[in-house]
Amino acid sequence: MTAPVDLRSDTVTRPCAAMRRAMYEAEVGDDVYGEDPTVKLLEAEAAARLGHEAGLFMPSGTQSNLVALLTHCGRGDEYIVGARAHTYWYEGGGAAALGGIQPQTLPFAADGSLDLATVATLIKPDDPHFARTRLVCLENTQAGKAIGPDYFAAARACCDTHGLALHLDGARVFNAAVALDCPVTAIAAPCDTVSVCLSKGLGAPVGSVLVGSRAFVGAARRWRKMVGGGMRQAGVIAAAGLYALRHNVARLAEDHANAARLAELAAVRFPGAVRQATNMVFVDLPEAELVALGAHLRAADVIVRGNRWVLHKDVSAADVERVGRALDAFTFRAA
Ligand SMILES: *Cc1c(COP(=O)(O)O)cnc(C)c1O
């Protein structure tokens, strides 16, 4: 019996033995009292790697983005964000519900960026008719697409011109840097704040880090406490995050290579319907065919959800070949 190949998301990764050992051996203290050495180390290392002064460890990427928004914006303020951005679309409307922060959306461009000329037209004048535009929120990778340093330099310049802050939902920012073979600081440092997930391709069981200036992180710490993110002996899980940062970044290239190979195999079976970006493969088939394909793959011990198949450290090159054979054996007759 081989284990199922789970392509639903890179969140399904499980901690490896060495990561579990690091968790077992972690030095801990009460982090709400600022006494957990492992949490402090993780926050400092994450900040340094991303080119920022300070970091704040949080249980999830959703909380990390929420705390960033609550810290950047007050009630009645507005942030400019992609129409299918995670912060806007997939986080339960938290910024609006808890912060009174209004989103101004625009569609993502084909490359996953926000068109900066359009962003500029959406900034509201200083007039009581309008919400106060405070912040631009970007995403990288965006639906797997890696956006390069040049865009971030331009976004920084745009925000400086208009007096806006810049937040990056960098849940998978290390995938972007590895795919583009650029230092992650070239993407992260131009932003005022960056949220990065440890629990996706990096393979930790839980956790995100928000990085920014020392003053910003100090203010964010209050919001984190308010929304229930003050954790006690959190070093046990921070140790997994530290292990992930130290050992699992460069290996993201394997996930990208596996995704490219899976896309190649899928394109043989579904010509013209397959796209790949970093660790994600999109198979754009009619809904009925996708459902049938999902059931067929499930019978072959391959788990997928929808049209997005995600590669991660618990899927090997051999697993990808196995998925390829299962795809070859799929036939579909429309009802
Ligand atoms: C997963 C994800 C998040 C938040 O992650 P959780 O830890 O699941 O709350 C934020 N942004 C993007 C783009 C993500 O993919």
Side-chain angles (χ1 to χ4, degrees), residues 139-281:
E139 206 169 287
N140 199 7
T141 60
Q142 200 287 311
K145 292 167 198 158
I147 306 163
D150 290 353
Y151 176 78
F152 282 84
R156 176 76 266 164
C158 172
C159 288
D160 286 347
T161 301
H162 299 285
L164 304 179
L166 181 59
H167 173 68
L168 174 63
D169 177 357
R172 298 186 181 84
V173 70
F174 284 107
N175 290 83
V178 166
L180 298 168
D181 196 20
C182 72
V184 71
T185 49
I187 295 167
C191 304
D192 293 291
T193 50
V194 182
S195 172
V196 56
C197 284
L198 303 164
S199 59
K200 304 234 162 123
L202 296 185
V206 63
S208 282
V209 183
L210 176 65
V211 302
S213 70
R214 211 160 273 124
F216 186 95
V217 166
R221 200 174 286 281
R222 300 184 75 90
W223 283 111
R224 184 186 67 169
K225 190 76 181 82
M226 261 191 259
V227 297
M231 298 183 285
R232 304 295 176 168
Q233 286 71 36
V236 172
I237 49 175
L242 260 180
Y243 183 94
L245 277 183
R246 290 174 181 174
H247 299 280
N248 288 350
V249 172
R251 65 148 309 286
L252 292 171
E254 294 171 34
D255 300 340
H256 302 165
N258 283 338
R261 174 63 181 153
L262 180 57
E264 183 178 73
L265 293 169
V268 173
R269 182 63 191 71
F270 306 112
V274 181
R275 298 173 285 132
Q276 179 243 333
T278 59
N279 67 329
M280 298 181 187
V281 176

Side-chain angles (χ1 to χ4, degrees), residues 69-141:
L69 287 163
L70 291 169
T71 309
H72 279 294
C73 300
R75 190 160 163 247
D77 287 351
E78 175 180 84
Y79 79 116
I80 296 176
V81 61
R84 286 295 173 113
H86 203 281
T87 54
Y88 172 64
W89 194 264
Y90 294 104
E91 295 181 8
L98 303 176
I101 302 162
Q102 162 169 295
Q104 165 66 62
T105 65
L106 71 158
F108 281 114
D111 67 357
S113 70
L114 295 179
D115 178 66
L116 295 172
T118 309
V119 165
T121 67
L122 296 171
I123 298 165
K124 313 291 185 290
D126 182 7
D127 173 309
H129 285 89
F130 303 113
R132 283 171 304 236
T133 311
R134 292 281 195 218
L135 175 72
V136 174
C137 178
L138 301 171
E139 206 169 287
N140 199 7
T141 60

